[in-house]
Amino acid sequence: MAGTSPTAPEDHGGRMNEDSRSDPATAAFLAHRNLLFTVAYEMLGSAADAEDVLQESWLRWVGVDLDAVRDQRAYLVQITTRQALSRLRTLGRRKESYVGPWLPEPLLTAPDVAEDVELADSVSMAMMLVLETLGPTERAVFVLREVFDLEYDEIAEAVDKSAAAVRQIAHRARAHVAARRPRGVVSPAETRGALDAFQRAVETGDLQSLLDILAPDVVLLGDGGGVRQAVPRPIVGADKVARLLAAGLGRIAAAVSLQPVQVNGYPALILRLDGEIDSVVAVRIDEGLVTGLYAVRNPEKLSHIERETALRR
């Protein structure tokens, strides 16, 4: 398979066939595939682009002399990072012409992602939006150092900088993120009760119940991508958000169903209209109140919500 396959190998639940195990390059790639996808996704905010990056990384990996590779995990991460950086710069130009607010592509995640609190925090919608405010190299350095704990010299190889420069970039990126990151790491278990209360309030359309569960400074963001109707700018404040939700869902209440799920490591709701997925609403909860709502309606971003995506550090 190495050197001849036009597509990257798939890892179905971590199981490999005999051919995969007999090929060291394929076996190594499959062993780290979920990690590499997570690196690419955290840098790009797009599962589709992360998959493309894995394809490009695989094509480069099969041409490597494995005997010369000291640390296969680090080397694969470096290859993936270089490909992600190249695509990130292209994505930046694409986002400039994006219609309306841009939100990361939501991923249906397994319970084990939520159990790794640091991983869940790093892929949460709120944190992914903070990462969007970093430049490409800063984002790569922050993700590789703070999330995946790579050494500075390993990161330097990935971003084509000196180790000293990477240390400075990491320091700036940490300060930038600290000033903008969500209030703190929130255990998903702490949010379930609040999510249940929010779901009941939405389903009943009761304005007071919504006001009771929304934080005074709650922010609602919507992403329709110019294809579906969505709020064109952030809606801030419990009263405005509650009235918008009550009025909007009240008109279609009979055709709407809400399903609680884990999205990007945290509780969320899938909203179905007449049985079809209409939107995914990721929820940020702090101290028992909803502080952030991230509603993704762009159909192109909902393809990974039908099946679980494995994320790893």
Side-chain angles (χ1 to χ4, degrees):
M1 184 171 185
T4 61
S5 172
T7 58
E10 294 292 332
D11 179 5
H12 300 287
R15 298 184 299 276
M16 292 181 281
N17 58 30
E18 292 298 327
D19 290 341
S20 296
R21 283 196 293 268
S22 66
D23 177 2
T26 304
F29 194 91
L30 286 175
H32 298 294
R33 190 183 191 284
N34 294 339
L35 161 71
L36 302 178
F37 176 87
T38 307
V39 170
Y41 174 74
E42 289 211 26
M43 286 187 60
L44 301 169
S46 163
D49 286 293
E51 292 287 0
D52 287 344
V53 161
L54 257 63
Q55 168 69 23
E56 294 158 2
S57 301
W58 161 250
L59 293 174
R60 282 157 178 77
W61 172 244
V62 294
V64 170
D65 178 6
L66 297 188
D67 291 335
V69 177
R70 179 177 56 83
D71 184 335
Q72 292 184 346
R73 175 184 181 272
Y75 198 95
L76 279 163
V77 169
Q78 288 166 1
I79 294 175
T80 302
T81 300
R82 292 188 197 108
Q83 302 310 310
L85 272 172
S86 176
R87 186 159 292 248
L88 187 58
R89 295 183 176 104
T90 301
L91 275 179
R93 293 190 291 272
R94 198 189 306 169
K95 288 173 188 173
E96 290 174 2
S97 59
Y98 195 82
V99 179
W102 184 94
L103 289 174
E105 183 176 348
L107 302 178
L108 186 67
T109 48
D112 64 336
V113 174
E115 291 166 7
D116 184 341
V117 176
E118 289 185 1
L119 175 60
D121 182 62
S122 73
V123 297
S124 69
M125 288 295 225
M127 188 59 168
M128 292 289 284
L129 285 174
V130 174
L131 293 180
E132 282 293 311
T133 65
L134 292 169
T137 302
E138 284 183 320
R139 184 168 183 169
V141 169
F142 181 86
V143 166
L144 295 181
R145 180 63 182 170
E146 300 301 315
V147 181
F148 298 98
D149 200 30
L150 261 66
E151 298 296 333
Y152 288 112
D153 58 345
E154 294 172 333
I155 301 172
E157 288 284 337
V159 300
D160 195 25
K161 302 282 185 183
S162 69
V166 165
R167 286 180 182 273
Q168 293 180 336
I169 293 169
H171 177 75
R172 289 198 307 268
R174 275 194 298 269
H176 181 98
V177 170
R180 294 164 178 80
R181 74 181 304 148
R183 294 169 187 175
V185 174
V186 181
S187 165
E190 297 174 21
T191 71
R192 292 193 185 101
L195 184 75
D196 289 345
F198 175 69
Q199 181 178 347
R200 287 194 301 271
V202 170
E203 288 173 335
T204 60
D206 183 68
L207 186 60
Q208 188 56 53
S209 295
L210 282 167
L211 289 169
D212 289 342
I213 195 61
L214 297 175
D217 57 351
V218 62
V219 178
L220 167 63
L221 298 173
D223 179 344
V227 181
R228 296 277 182 85
Q229 184 179 2
V231 292
R233 60 187 62 85
I235 306 298
V236 182
D239 186 66
K240 290 180 180 178
V241 172
R243 292 184 185 281
L244 179 67
L245 291 174
L249 292 172
R251 291 193 297 268
I252 55 174
V256 169
S257 65
L258 296 174
Q259 174 191 357
V261 291
Q262 290 276 337
V263 166
N264 289 52
Y266 281 92
L269 297 171
I270 293 177
L271 187 151
R272 286 184 168 84
L273 190 59
D274 292 323
E276 298 293 326
I277 294 179
D278 175 86
S279 55
V280 172
V281 182
V283 183
R284 172 76 189 185
I285 295 171
D286 294 279
E287 298 179 354
L289 295 176
V290 174
T291 56
L293 292 167
Y294 312 93
V296 179
R297 300 196 69 209
N298 184 349
E300 293 183 359
K301 293 187 176 183
L302 299 180
S303 61
H304 279 72
I305 213 66
E306 295 277 20
R307 65 187 187 281
E308 285 183 354
T309 298
L311 301 176
R312 294 289 184 274
R313 282 200 295 162

